[in-house]
Amino acid sequence: MTSERIEVRGLTKIYEGGDPHRPTLDRIDLDVPRGQFVSLIGPSGCGKSTLVRVVAGLEDYDEGAVTVFDATPRQMCAAKAVGFVPQTPALLPWLNVRRNVSLPARVNRRAGKGAEHPDELLRMVGLEDAARKYPHELSGGMCQRVAIARAFGTRPDLLLMDEPFSALDEFTREALQWHLLRLWERMSTTVLFVTHSVREAVTLSDRIVVMSARPGRVHEVIPVDLPRPRGDEVTGPRGHALEDRVRASLLGAWESGAAPDDLIPQ
Amino acid sequence: MWLPTVVAVALVGAGWSWIAAEHPYVLPTLSEVGRTLVSDPVLFVENAWSTLQIALLGVAWGAGTAFVLALLMSEIPVLRRAIMPLAVVLNVTPVVALAPALVVAFGFGMTPKVIVTAIVTVFPVLINVTTGLRSVPGPALHVFRTLHASRLEVLLKLRLPSSLPYALAALRVVLPLSIVGAVVAEFVAAGSSSGLGTMIRNAAANAQLPHVYAAIACLATMGVLMLAFTALLERRLLFWHESQLTNPS
């Protein structure tokens, strides 16, 4: 029987030279059913980015197990079933927008995985007119839209996003959240989304995983029971109540761990 | 905008003319240099071509070897540890000192001169391209790795293009340097019959200062043309790089 979920079991990671009593990730258990949008939120140093990188197969771990739909993270990558959006757009500046978006189709052809047409991807993020432009001709928000279109390029089963909007101004950030939601509703991908923003987590997610720092643990998992597709409820009383609940949980997470001083729940 | 340059050139010219008039054995007058150039342009063009050939062949060999080495070193760490110390020693060795030995070994033809020039150009290219190949930003590398790109794909589609600005910066240094290498090799290779370096050496031995400075003027012109060529290459190939995006004021 195949498992239709991401399963993280007892995942522990100690960085080399780090304190073995305060692992970066300490016995993390997490289940994400296929198709869910799950946000990871928590104070700096709680290991949320590390967790995403482990699920992406970019980092090793010391104990526990990670399976993604019954495969290892590296097997998922080999099958081009993972899309990754880093914090910076990480576009290739010598390629135009269209070539950047079609990059996943042009590497690792052995996987034999079909790809979305680049023009169609660009249309979905509203950048069809910028196809021939180069990254240095675009704004930060446009670059991040290109990066998202690129990540959707292989129709990934799993999309991993590591604070993709954190470098953008608030207005651009909100616009991009709606772009992302529309894409996600269309492509029905499973998403792990790292964020610092409570509002962002509530707007986007089915569930919010609140993590605590030093050691990095799952503090609480909060379901977001707002109707899909998301709309005005996000800014309505129910949305606000959820935001308050997440903030309270973050405060609890902060008090339970040896948090750095720079934690300011937004 | 051009005024400061014009004034500076005029001042240097005036100073030169004054010294040349007072001390004819220190500097020839500019008009003498000019007349020497005009009197036998073919001689200068032929010798310049001879030197240029050595310089360019030297760059091709030196930079080419360095590029291949840099590729191998970036892919095979053991090679980096093995080769880097040798390259550093080679770089601090005054290659001029090697030149006579190379002449003994390879005769008076082009070979020893090309070798000297090549050795001069290896190190800057090696260092720059090695740095460039390793300067790939982490997030872009993560994207490639989550796509399970092969090492060759990472090299061709990510590392090599990222290293291009470094490679061209090296070329900017190495092209003028190759002229220095070629001229020095010509100085040392006694009995060689052509090249601006040979010309300078022979003219200086006969106290023909106008010839010496005419040949130097040719060398300077070659250097300027090479710089212009690199600038053109950079504008063409690095249109996407921040070095080309700021408008020169």
Side-chain angles (χ1 to χ4, degrees), chain A residues 58 77-78 88 93-94 108 110, chain B residues 145-148 153 157 161 240:
Chain A
L58 293 169
C77 290
T88 57
W94 52 87
N108 186 12
R110 304 172 301 286
Chain B
R145 283 176 57 195
T146 49
L147 289 165
H148 211 259
E153 282 169 337
K157 290 183 196 292
W240 48 272

Side-chain angles (χ1 to χ4, degrees), chain A residues 5-8 32-38 51-57 66-69 71-74 76-77 79-85 113 151-161 184 187-193, chain B residues 146-147:
Chain A
R5 51 183 58 233
I6 302 169
E7 293 179 350
V8 179
V32 180
R34 192 188 276 274
Q36 263 203 357
F37 197 123
V38 171
L51 177 56
V52 158
R53 284 204 295 273
V54 167
V55 177
V66 179
T67 55
V68 183
F69 312 134
T72 67
R74 300 243 154 93
M76 289 292 285
C77 290
K80 287 215 272 192
V82 178
F84 184 69
V85 183
K113 173 125 181 174
F152 274 107
T154 55
R155 275 184 231 118
D157 294 301
L158 172 61
L159 187 63
L160 300 165
M161 308 181 84
W184 174 74
M187 311 280 263
S188 61
T189 306
T190 313
V191 183
L192 266 188
F193 188 97
Chain B
T146 49
L147 289 165

Side-chain angles (χ1 to χ4, degrees), chain B residues 141-188:
Chain B
L141 198 57
H142 286 162
V143 170
F144 272 77
R145 283 176 57 195
T146 49
L147 289 165
H148 211 259
S150 68
R151 274 176 87 164
L152 186 65
E153 282 169 337
V154 172
L155 182 67
L156 292 180
K157 290 183 196 292
L158 186 60
R159 288 194 195 278
L160 273 179
S162 307
S163 74
L164 199 58
Y166 293 82
L168 286 178
L171 204 60
R172 184 181 269 274
V173 173
V174 141
L175 275 178
L177 205 59
S178 71
I179 300 180
V180 176
V183 168
V184 165
E186 286 171 351
F187 282 171
V188 175

Side-chain angles (χ1 to χ4, degrees), chain A residues 27-47:
Chain A
R27 286 163 289 162
I28 302 272
D29 288 315
L30 188 64
D31 272 71
V32 180
R34 192 188 276 274
Q36 263 203 357
F37 197 123
V38 171
S39 287
L40 304 174
I41 196 167
S44 306
C46 69

Side-chain angles (χ1 to χ4, degrees), chain B residues 205-218:
Chain B
N206 296 321
Q208 294 172 312
L209 279 189
H211 274 80
V212 171
Y213 280 96
I216 292 173
C218 293

